[in-house]
Amino acid sequence: MSTPPTYNPDTPNGGDSLSVDVNAQYAGLEYHYTYLIFCGFIVWLIIPGIGLLYGGLARRKSSLALLFQSLLVASVTTFQWMFWGYSLAYSRTANSFIGDLANFGMKNVMAAPSPGSAVIPEIVFCLYQMLFCACTVQLVIGGSFERGRIVPSLVFAFLWATVVYCPIACWTWNPNGWLYKLPSLDFAGGGPVHISSGWSALAYAFVLGKRTHHGEKSHGKPHNTTLVFLGTVLIWFGWFGFNGGSALNASVRALLASFNTNTAASCGVLGWVLVDFIRTKGKFSVVGACSGAIAGLVGITPAAGYVSVWLAALIGFLTAVICALLQDVNKWMHIDEGMDVFKLHGIGGMCGSFFTGIFAQSWVSALDGASLYSGGIDGAGIQVGKQFAEITAISAYSFVVTCILLYALKYIPYMHLRVSEEAEIVGLDIDQFFDEQIGDWSMFEQNAMEGVRVSGASSQHSVKVEESLPDNKE
């Protein structure tokens, strides 16, 4: 059996490739980083998956904006991660709350054993964790749908990744982080990804205010169930890499986490469909089934490498049922967060973290040959309290800091967060894109002219809309 390499501070980049073979230190261990890089590749599919899901849930006139933002947000986050995001989250000289700039601009991030696992080169670890950040930021942007301007959302994405995601990732996964040392149990991102994105999306919707509503029948209804279904399928597939790779090795524990991922998603579908079936007295919903799958995936994320398969089924089912029963949570809070990011990811993530504290089994974590973590079911009831510490700290920090960041952006010239009322009525696709829209051009004209009529738009805005219409004189 090959011995994992050790990190050498004298060669922080893993060695000079011109004088030594930096691959030699991983001889016999190549399957670990091959497995992880494959997991990273399929995690990337979550990015277009979220874009398609959000695009289908939105009204047609603002759907294109969400597809566009899925790629732009991922691109901005990639730059942020390379610039200083990785260093702020995972530098070896981090304090308990945030990293320093030891790896600023990807300095020395190459062939050395990574902070997360000695069998993974740091460049592979960096890529894998970067995709987690990109997916998380994209979830947060869902809080602005149908009324948020695109350019400010991209600036916000860079800043949010810096001041919210990176510190929370440092707390949770950096060996110097305070939650890591506590320890709170978070296998694949219940806190840094789901709880933080749920509360931050709620803050985004809160700061923007409710959408303008003039009695349109389409308000609050998904415009394309096919896009919702396709997006969910890509997210489900990508989640195998999301959870399966978070063991940071190719052990039996990683394979169990993948099995648990599918189990929880499937049972989440059953739970949500059951609630819908009872609520509607015998009817079904494709969007509801897709929501159940995502709720199950969210619930199992922190627990995937800590619980057995039947407990994974229970976690997925319970998380979906709880989220489904909170159908009207946005109305109760009087916040228009129509993408349900808070309900599915915020509440679902908190449920998952809580269930992890209850159901974590030491024999499951020991499947990687090195870990040993117990929950309440093994007699370690204190772990539930530690999970509550994670939940409350991440929830409070995410919501408060996101609100402060958004209010600060509002007062920067040209950074106003919300489109005009006229633009919201005609749709973001007409207002912020040229010569493109998500359906056929007849719908484009209908939306544009309806918006002008409903809003009583000024002559200046009418000219703008007419100029944006295609030439149909033949």
Side-chain angles (χ1 to χ4, degrees):
M1 182 176 179
S2 301
T3 302
T6 56
Y7 175 75
N8 183 357
D10 295 329
T11 55
N13 64 348
D16 181 4
S17 60
L18 296 176
S19 58
V20 299
D21 181 7
V22 297
N23 300 284
Q25 59 189 321
Y26 299 103
L29 302 167
E30 295 89 347
Y31 61 96
H32 289 295
Y33 62 75
T34 302
Y35 170 74
L36 189 66
I37 198 70
F38 172 74
C39 287
F41 294 159
I42 63 175
V43 168
W44 189 90
L45 292 175
I46 295 176
I47 294 170
I50 296 173
L52 291 167
L53 172 67
Y54 283 2
L57 289 173
R59 285 180 288 181
R60 186 171 187 166
K61 62 186 180 181
S62 296
S63 183
L64 188 66
L66 292 160
L67 292 178
F68 178 77
Q69 282 177 299
S70 68
L71 291 182
L72 263 291
V73 167
S75 301
V76 168
T77 307
T78 296
F79 173 77
Q80 186 273 350
W81 198 250
M82 294 170 61
F83 185 69
W84 60 20
Y86 176 75
S87 189
L88 293 175
Y90 291 106
S91 60
R92 288 178 170 84
T93 47
N95 59 39
S96 297
F97 298 97
I98 193 168
D100 56 21
L101 296 181
N103 301 117
F104 176 78
M106 299 288 289
K107 180 182 178 182
N108 293 325
V109 179
M110 191 53 61
S114 72
S117 173
V119 297
I120 304 297
E122 191 161 9
I123 190 66
V124 177
F125 177 77
C126 179
L127 171 63
Y128 185 70
Q129 297 298 340
M130 178 182 70
L131 295 171
F132 276 53
C133 182
C135 293
T136 307
V137 177
Q138 192 176 346
L139 291 172
V140 177
I141 298 299
S144 69
F145 90 117
E146 294 190 353
R147 61 205 189 276
R149 291 179 64 234
I150 290 176
V151 171
S153 77
L154 300 179
V155 175
F156 168 78
F158 182 94
L159 297 175
W160 187 88
T162 300
V163 301
V164 179
Y165 182 84
C166 288
I168 294 175
C170 181
W171 301 353
T172 310
W173 290 322
N174 191 307
N176 296 326
W178 72 274
L179 284 175
Y180 185 95
K181 292 179 178 179
L182 190 60
S184 66
L185 303 183
D186 196 332
F187 187 72
V193 177
H194 298 299
I195 297 176
S196 70
S197 66
W199 281 98
S200 296
L202 186 71
Y204 209 148
F206 169 72
V207 173
L208 284 182
K210 294 184 178 181
R211 288 170 288 170
T212 302
H213 183 21
H214 288 282
E216 306 96 325
K217 293 181 179 179
S218 63
H219 185 84
K221 296 181 180 179
H223 96 274
N224 192 319
T225 305
T226 303
L227 288 182
V228 174
F229 180 84
L230 179 58
T232 303
V233 168
L234 289 176
I235 292 170
W236 190 328
F237 182 66
W239 225 286
F240 284 110
F242 202 89
N243 287 350
S246 288
L248 299 178
N249 55 50
S251 63
V252 175
R253 187 186 186 194
L255 306 182
L256 175 63
S258 299
F259 194 100
N260 285 345
T261 299
N262 187 72
T263 299
S266 300
C267 292
V269 171
L270 296 177
W272 198 295
V273 168
L274 176 63
V275 173
D276 277 350
F277 189 82
I278 295 172
R279 179 190 293 136
T280 61
K281 299 180 180 179
K283 295 183 182 291
F284 299 104
S285 166
V286 173
V287 174
C290 291
S291 297
I294 293 173
L297 291 169
V298 170
I300 199 59
T301 294
Y306 294 110
V307 300
S308 59
V309 293
W310 285 109
L311 289 176
L314 180 63
I315 290 172
F317 183 84
L318 290 178
T319 303
V321 168
I322 291 169
C323 292
L325 292 173
L326 294 174
Q327 181 181 20
D328 296 326
V329 65
N330 293 328
K331 294 180 181 179
W332 301 340
M333 295 186 297
H334 302 288
I335 297 177
D336 185 9
E337 198 278 285
M339 283 296 175
D340 288 338
V341 185
F342 177 70
K343 181 169 67 177
L344 291 175
H345 297 273
I347 295 174
M350 290 187 286
C351 290
S353 181
F354 175 68
F355 291 143
T356 302
I358 296 175
F359 297 127
Q361 299 165 287
S362 57
W363 71 266
V364 173
S365 58
L367 290 172
D368 65 4
S371 304
L372 195 65
Y373 296 102
S374 300
I377 198 171
D378 278 353
I382 188 64
Q383 190 59 50
V384 178
K386 294 177 180 179
Q387 299 304 112
F388 272 122
E390 177 193 31
I391 292 169
T392 54
I394 293 177
S395 299
Y397 182 84
S398 300
F399 186 83
V400 172
V401 175
T402 302
C403 284
I404 293 172
L405 179 58
L406 288 166
Y407 279 122
L409 281 175
K410 285 179 68 173
Y411 294 102
I412 297 177
Y414 306 108
M415 283 291 110
H416 50 284
L417 303 174
R418 184 166 180 159
V419 298
S420 65
E421 182 176 351
E422 292 84 359
E424 187 178 343
I425 292 172
V426 300
L428 300 187
D429 297 354
I430 293 176
D431 180 69
Q432 303 203 18
F433 293 85
F434 65 91
D435 204 34
E436 286 181 333
Q437 70 110 27
I438 203 163
D440 59 80
W441 284 103
S442 61
M443 289 296 297
F444 184 97
E445 295 182 5
Q446 178 181 338
N447 286 340
M449 299 314 298
E450 179 184 354
V452 172
R453 182 173 63 254
V454 171
S455 65
S458 64
S459 59
Q460 179 181 358
H461 182 70
S462 299
V463 170
K464 177 182 176 182
V465 172
E466 290 171 4
E467 289 177 350
S468 69
L469 298 179
D471 187 1
N472 289 324
K473 293 181 179 179
E474 62 254 8

